[in-house]
Amino acid sequence: MKVVRYADRPDLMERRFAELVVPAFPAYMNENEPGNLYWGRLYTDFPDFQVALVDGDELLAEAHAIPLPWDGTLEDLPSGWDEGFVRGATSDAPHTALMAIAISVSPAHKGRQLSSRMIQTFTDAARAADLANGVIAPVRPTWKERYPLIPIERYMEWRRADGAHFDPWLRIHERVGGEIVRAAPRSMVVRAPAVEWAEWTGMAFPEDGEYVFPGALATLVVEDGIGTHVEPNVWVLHRV
């Protein structure tokens, strides 16, 4: 297995969405505004931070990130994924940190600790680029979808009896040195007509109201036929 830049393996680009993204994330997560505006620039402007893990021609996992200005304080943390992506893509200030955007692992290779290895690519890349304030990750907790009505501020505090984090993905981040630093209750906003939400989720939304839907970490609020979903995340810091 080896880590390669997508810039050096453009042949993988045609495969990555179907093999890694579709199995890993609900369809609606590909419809957020910053992603639609700036995703292509990750490969043209920040190629060193867009990598894949391969074994020969087999695509095992990938990691995407964007450098951004961050002064190292909680006060200067972006509000979440959306604001961090926009800051990295548009700010003229010197980059001092790296924001993790996404990690995806092939379903056929889950359970091999590949996600831990991809987290390591973030810290390695930040160190190589002299981004001294480290890696900030707006983490999407795996099991939060089971508890969409619980505020993220409470969920992020849940621990098992052995002291390890209740959530498997947050537990992995802590295991490789990450520190939970703050909740991001309004990390990503997706807004679209209810008919589009029906296509993405396989559910009908026959009237205005608040809905729980599969795979979501929080609810969908439909008002005047427009559905708004505000996804919560948890900020995790990996020092370099």
Side-chain angles (χ1 to χ4, degrees):
M1 294 188 296
K2 65 177 181 178
V3 175
V4 299
R5 301 190 315 160
Y6 276 115
D8 300 323
R9 288 290 307 272
D11 57 298
L12 299 175
M13 291 292 291
E14 297 179 359
R15 298 164 45 194
R16 59 165 296 272
F17 190 80
E19 294 183 25
L20 297 178
V21 178
V22 171
F25 298 106
Y28 69 86
M29 292 195 67
N30 298 308
E31 305 299 335
N32 64 84
E33 185 174 346
N36 288 334
L37 284 174
Y38 302 119
W39 191 270
R41 287 186 52 200
L42 293 176
Y43 304 103
T44 58
D45 297 6
F46 311 105
D48 290 344
F49 308 106
Q50 323 313 323
V51 301
L53 181 67
V54 298
D55 187 353
D57 286 330
E58 190 172 11
L59 188 54
L60 308 181
E62 68 173 9
H64 289 82
I66 190 168
L68 77 170
W70 176 54
D71 68 9
T73 67
L74 292 180
E75 291 73 23
D76 194 45
L77 266 178
S79 59
W81 193 96
D82 284 355
E83 185 183 335
F85 203 155
V86 172
R87 185 188 298 187
T90 63
S91 177
D92 293 327
H95 297 150
T96 56
L98 187 67
M99 188 185 90
I101 290 177
I103 287 175
S104 303
V105 176
S106 168
H109 296 281
K110 289 187 180 295
R112 298 178 58 188
Q113 299 184 333
L114 300 186
S115 56
S116 298
R117 181 160 184 178
M118 301 319 287
I119 293 172
Q120 186 65 47
T121 68
F122 292 144
T123 54
D124 290 345
R127 194 174 295 113
D130 197 25
L131 299 173
N133 286 342
V135 177
I136 53 173
V139 175
R140 187 175 194 269
T142 307
W143 283 356
K144 180 65 173 70
E145 67 177 38
R146 303 180 182 186
Y147 307 93
L149 304 181
I150 298 295
I152 192 67
E153 293 87 349
R154 286 164 51 193
Y155 182 85
M156 65 182 276
E157 299 293 337
W158 290 2
R159 296 275 169 179
R160 303 190 312 191
D162 64 1
H165 204 281
F166 172 84
D167 187 85
W169 192 208
L170 287 170
R171 191 159 62 242
I172 289 172
H173 274 272
E174 288 192 326
R175 188 178 299 145
V176 297
E179 306 168 31
I180 294 174
V181 294
R182 173 170 281 187
R186 297 185 60 85
S187 188
M188 178 188 291
V189 178
V190 182
R191 185 175 290 107
V195 292
E196 294 187 20
W197 281 101
E199 293 176 6
W200 298 335
T201 65
M203 280 181 61
F205 303 98
E207 62 180 42
D208 286 359
E210 186 173 10
Y211 295 86
V212 172
F213 63 100
L217 311 192
T219 59
L220 175 70
V221 176
V222 178
E223 186 173 358
D224 296 329
I226 301 297
T228 301
H229 174 65
V230 180
E231 172 161 295
N233 291 162
V234 176
W235 279 115
V236 176
L237 170 64
H238 292 268
R239 303 182 187 275
V240 299

